[in-house]
Amino acid sequence: MCGIIGINSNKPVSGTIINSLKKLEYRGYDSAGIATLSSGQINEVKSEGRVDNLEKNSLVQNMNGTIGIGHVRWATHGLPNSINAHPHSSQNVSVVHNGIIENSTLLKKFLVGKGHKFKSQTDTEVIVHLITENLKTEDIVNSIKKTLKALHGSFALGIIFKDHPDLIIGARRGSPLAVGYGPNENYLGSDSYALKSMTNKITYLNDGEFCVIKKDHVEFFDEEGVKVNKKVLELSSEEKKYDKGDYKHFMAKEIEEQPTTLKNGIKEYLDNSNNDINIYNFPWKVNEISSITLIGCGTAYHSCLMAKYWFEELTSLDVNIDIASEFRYRKNRFKSDTLYVFVSQSGETADTYAALDLCNRNNMKTCSVVNVIESSIARDSKFVLPIHCGTEIGVASTKAFVGQMLILYILALKLGLMRKDIEKEIFLEKLKDLKKLPELVKETLLTDNKIQTISSTFNEAKGSMFLGRGFSYPIALEGALKLKELSYIHAEGYPAGEMKHGPLALIEEGMPVVVLAPRDNYYKKTISNMQEVIARGAKVLLITNKSKDEIVSENIWETIEVETANDDLLPFLLTIPLQKLAYYSALKKGYDIDKPRNLAKSVTVE
Ligand code: F6R
């Protein structure tokens, strides 16, 4: 969470670092900073808030130096102000850090005892002083090795040195880090997105590795300081460029891209000539799997919850779902006939990665559904199902959610067929329906104007609720999450049938309540639950699908009708108006839609 950039060049670097930091802002945006080496010393400039503030600082505009590091911060230790902003520097060393140093208090005590003076409240500053201390007795590689060994926790680091003006050190444990290669210059970045505008040649550091970046070459070392050879990967040209185009926000663009996301996913996994699903090289036989556990965080967890309904419907597998931050610390009963599926857009979420790692260490069957295929989760799972939805920049996940659901649905269908849990005819019928989905999503995206008007009522309310049953319940949770993270409005998702067991007490006159009631098996029951909230004064926004049957209920405040599809696919369509509701509500409030407060895109800390 926090973004890192480093450039070693023969041209001045501050402008390029600032531009790269702007690209990295989705990882953290409460403060930013830059340090370069010039005239034999480390110069550091930091600002609270966005990179724009840093850029306007006259000190940055006059910054020289052909080697430098930059950082955007998502605060963990210490307030988000300019003192706690990175880089943190001593006279000799300057450090940018992503992650958390768990033994920082102990290390600080030791370093204060040695006479080191601390300026900030951060855990990162101990790294600066520890390297400074170790450099008194060790050469550069050994001082880094010794420092990293003393650190507990997770980190990606970029480091420059007053006395070694020709190099940048990068180091990784837990948090991702990449090296990029350019003409007479080389780069360090916390992900390939930041480096893409400069190069398409990338190397990812593995856990425990560190590197020495010079202008003309890069050397990699394992945690023992032994040199390792690494592959240079070439990013596709499509991956190199991703911008907002004519859209006001990435989120708006990403919502509109969803028909394409679905089309691409379907194209990748559906074998039209054989009317089948291609899950190439699935490494296990179906009779080796009798249960499935799906694990993720936030929106990705909601797609796991959605998948539970599909897997139960289409297969006879036992299905469990888990929130990664809970799974990783529980006493799990690992079973060799369970398929563990890790769902993540970024593929770098620390909790999801730790859950995967735990399963790998217990020799389990691990599979991931990820968007970033070069990510740690993708690289370390035994089988990967890429989402293929392209770069997602908006912090609130939209197209990746739809992409995750698609892949999980496809997997459920395929396993259902392979296990003979569903008949071939049903499978073929469902494939046929699935092919129509992108077009149906495209049509549903047209319900714009009404949602813009409706969003004002949500903005005026103290709080809101999102209700659904069955297939619509995970979507209710996702709708509530989108509204709260973008508009900062209290929003809760509930199974509609649970309301009477407590939450109904929250309903008061005029409270906006979204009821998801498509015409599926749960329709009548959900409509009864809707009447219970209307009777208590709620302003109900009913979201259902188009049908010739009239809705038999009075006093519904507003109704939105999405397109019609088979029951399995309705969740995709119900998602669209909820994404738009959150978007317009935040737009009207004037909030920063692509970068909601306190959040970051890639959560690489626990
Ligand atoms: C919410 C959102 C987050 C992420 C969560 C997991 O809109 O985007 O809840 O879903 O942080 O991230 P990934 O999918 O990258 O593991």
Side-chain angles (χ1 to χ4, degrees):
M1 205 98 177
C2 297
I4 288 176
I5 191 83
I7 305 181
N8 191 353
S9 178
N10 44 24
K11 304 184 293 240
V13 290
S14 62
T16 321
I17 289 180
I18 294 283
N19 287 339
S20 306
L21 288 181
K22 285 183 185 164
K23 293 219 163 61
L24 278 174
E25 259 193 332
Y26 74 95
R27 299 179 68 93
Y29 33 85
D30 55 44
S31 54
I34 177 170
T36 60
L37 278 178
S38 70
S39 314
Q41 59 174 22
I42 293 169
N43 302 301
E44 166 198 285
V45 186
K46 314 197 274 193
S47 298
E48 195 175 323
R50 299 291 160 90
V51 177
D52 276 351
N53 292 353
L54 181 70
E55 190 177 24
K56 282 180 207 141
N57 192 318
S58 56
L59 292 173
V60 169
Q61 286 162 13
N62 297 321
M63 221 167 180
N64 292 319
T66 58
I67 184 164
I69 48 178
H71 188 264
V72 284
R73 180 169 186 245
W74 184 83
T76 56
H77 284 62
L79 295 172
N81 57 30
S82 60
I83 294 174
N84 291 329
H86 299 210
H88 292 281
S89 311
S90 66
Q91 267 198 349
N92 303 321
V93 178
S94 186
V95 174
V96 286
H97 169 215
N98 172 24
I100 294 183
I101 304 304
E102 285 162 1
N103 57 340
S104 61
T105 314
L106 219 67
L107 290 172
K108 188 169 175 178
K109 216 166 159 188
F110 161 76
L111 289 159
V112 168
K114 294 248 171 206
H116 290 264
K117 300 246 179 320
F118 283 75
K119 294 176 258 183
S120 76
Q121 301 161 312
T122 65
D123 50 343
T124 306
E125 211 181 337
V126 297
I127 307 173
V128 177
H129 293 285
L130 208 52
I131 299 172
T132 309
E133 187 62 29
N134 288 333
L135 276 171
K136 288 180 187 163
T137 53
E138 308 284 350
D139 67 15
I140 190 145
V141 167
N142 281 323
S143 72
I144 293 301
K145 191 179 97 184
K146 199 168 163 187
T147 302
L148 301 184
K149 284 210 161 165
L151 302 177
H152 297 174
S154 65
F155 50 78
L157 301 171
I159 313 162
I160 54 172
F161 305 82
K162 175 174 142 289
D163 297 331
H164 301 274
D166 59 335
L167 58 87
I168 301 177
I169 297 262
R172 170 192 174 173
R173 189 196 297 156
S175 306
L177 200 61
V179 164
Y181 307 88
N184 304 318
E185 56 184 28
N186 290 315
Y187 322 101
L188 183 70
S190 41
D191 59 33
S192 55
Y193 180 67
L195 303 178
K196 276 174 195 168
S197 58
M198 301 183 280
T199 181
N200 67 343
K201 291 193 172 57
I202 303 272
T203 297
Y204 292 94
L205 272 79
N206 287 336
D207 243 19
E209 289 178 346
F210 63 98
C211 61
V212 178
I213 302 172
K214 300 210 172 161
K215 284 180 193 50
D216 51 356
H217 73 283
V218 183
E219 283 178 333
F220 295 89
F221 300 86
D222 68 11
E223 50 202 337
E224 297 309 323
V226 177
K227 268 194 203 168
V228 284
N229 290 323
K230 307 275 299 174
K231 274 198 199 135
V232 179
L233 308 171
E234 205 145 308
L235 302 172
S236 74
S237 49
E238 185 210 331
E239 282 175 299
K240 267 175 78 178
K241 193 167 177 286
Y242 185 68
D243 57 34
K244 277 202 286 249
D246 293 334
Y247 290 89
K248 237 179 157 173
H249 301 99
F250 278 106
M251 185 184 179
K253 184 173 188 232
E254 286 156 7
I255 289 175
E256 295 299 325
E257 280 173 353
Q258 292 177 115
T260 313
T261 301
L262 291 166
K263 249 189 224 154
N264 290 346
I266 290 171
K267 197 172 90 200
E268 289 291 333
Y269 290 97
L270 261 59
D271 173 354
N272 278 324
S273 44
N274 295 309
N275 270 328
D276 201 357
I277 287 172
N278 272 326
I279 307 259
Y280 301 107
N281 306 324
F282 189 68
W284 305 286
K285 297 199 178 77
V286 274
N287 60 7
E288 289 172 352
I289 298 167
S290 64
S291 68
I292 182 162
T293 295
L294 300 131
I295 299 168
C297 300
T299 289
Y301 171 73
H302 294 158
S303 53
C304 297
L305 178 58
M306 189 65 245
K308 180 176 169 71
Y309 285 84
W310 286 324
F311 275 99
E312 285 177 348
E313 192 76 18
L314 301 168
T315 75
S316 57
L317 293 165
D318 285 337
V319 191
N320 295 299
I321 53 167
D322 229 309
I323 292 175
S325 55
E326 291 296 315
F327 178 88
R328 62 183 289 192
Y329 291 116
R330 267 210 325 273
K331 252 191 172 172
N332 293 294
R333 310 281 182 272
F334 290 106
K335 290 200 202 128
S336 58
D337 61 353
T338 297
L339 175 65
Y340 291 86
V341 179
F342 300 86
V343 182
S344 175
Q345 186 285 127
S346 61
E348 298 295 351
T349 300
D351 285 319
T352 312
Y353 182 81
L356 163 70
D357 189 47
L358 186 64
C359 290
N360 278 341
R361 280 190 278 120
N362 281 280
N363 254 328
M364 293 296 107
K365 301 180 172 70
T366 57
C367 162
S368 60
V369 174
V370 288
N371 193 31
V372 183
I373 48 170
E374 316 92 351
S375 63
S376 310
I377 291 176
R379 280 182 285 139
D380 289 353
S381 32
K382 295 177 184 155
F383 186 63
V384 186
L385 292 165
I387 297 167
H388 295 295
C389 77
T391 309
E392 188 182 66
I393 295 292
V395 164
S397 187
T398 51
K399 65 174 179 174
F401 176 60
V402 159
Q404 288 159 359
M405 288 201 297
L406 175 74
I407 308 309
L408 292 168
Y409 181 65
I410 285 175
L411 183 63
L413 263 181
K414 180 69 178 177
L415 290 183
L417 181 75
M418 284 162 83
R419 294 168 54 83
K420 302 195 173 44
D421 291 331
I422 51 168
E423 315 250 318
K424 182 86 186 197
E425 293 85 87
I426 296 184
F427 173 82
L428 291 176
E429 199 56 40
K430 287 187 185 289
L431 274 198
K432 209 163 120 198
D433 289 346
L434 186 58
K435 286 183 204 163
K436 295 182 203 143
L437 185 62
E439 207 45 46
L440 295 172
V441 168
K442 200 169 167 188
E443 290 289 316
T444 302
L445 280 163
L446 300 172
T447 39
D448 223 9
N449 290 342
K450 202 168 186 178
I451 303 173
Q452 293 197 40
T453 321
I454 289 170
S455 65
S456 304
T457 300
F458 283 81
N459 285 355
E460 286 149 20
K462 270 199 309 211
S464 60
M465 282 196 163
F466 288 66
L467 310 180
R469 291 181 86 121
F471 287 5
S472 304
Y473 164 50
I475 307 303
L477 294 188
E478 176 59 9
L481 176 63
K482 286 288 95 91
L483 189 68
K484 64 186 134 191
E485 71 183 315
L486 287 168
S487 311
Y488 321 146
I489 295 169
H490 188 81
E492 285 309 326
Y494 270 104
E498 263 297 286
M499 287 297 283
K500 53 191 172 293
H501 300 292
L504 203 54
L506 291 170
I507 303 290
E508 53 186 46
E509 200 58 41
M511 181 187 203
V513 174
V514 178
V515 177
L516 301 178
R519 324 293 174 123
D520 59 8
N521 281 341
Y522 303 87
Y523 177 63
K524 285 194 181 137
K525 302 277 173 218
T526 316
I527 292 294
S528 302
N529 299 139
M530 178 180 77
Q531 276 151 355
E532 287 157 14
V533 293
I534 291 177
R536 279 143 186 102
K539 255 180 141 174
V540 164
L541 164 60
L542 170 67
I543 304 184
T544 184
N545 56 324
K546 288 181 181 161
S547 162
K548 53 184 181 352
D549 302 329
E550 235 182 276
I551 299 156
V552 203
S553 177
E554 286 180 351
N555 299 325
I556 298 170
W557 166 54
E558 283 289 359
T559 302
I560 289 175
E561 289 183 329
V562 301
E563 294 302 307
T564 292
N566 83 37
D567 289 3
D568 297 356
L569 302 179
L570 287 168
F572 291 94
L573 303 172
L574 297 175
T575 301
I576 305 298
L578 300 184
Q579 294 172 339
K580 291 203 161 193
L581 177 65
Y583 176 80
Y584 285 120
S585 157
L587 187 70
K588 285 205 172 135
K589 287 186 152 190
Y591 291 161
D592 192 340
I593 291 181
D594 287 332
K595 299 185 188 84
R597 74 180 177 203
N598 304 339
L599 301 180
K601 184 71 181 160
S602 185
V603 187
T604 54
V605 292
E606 267 199 57

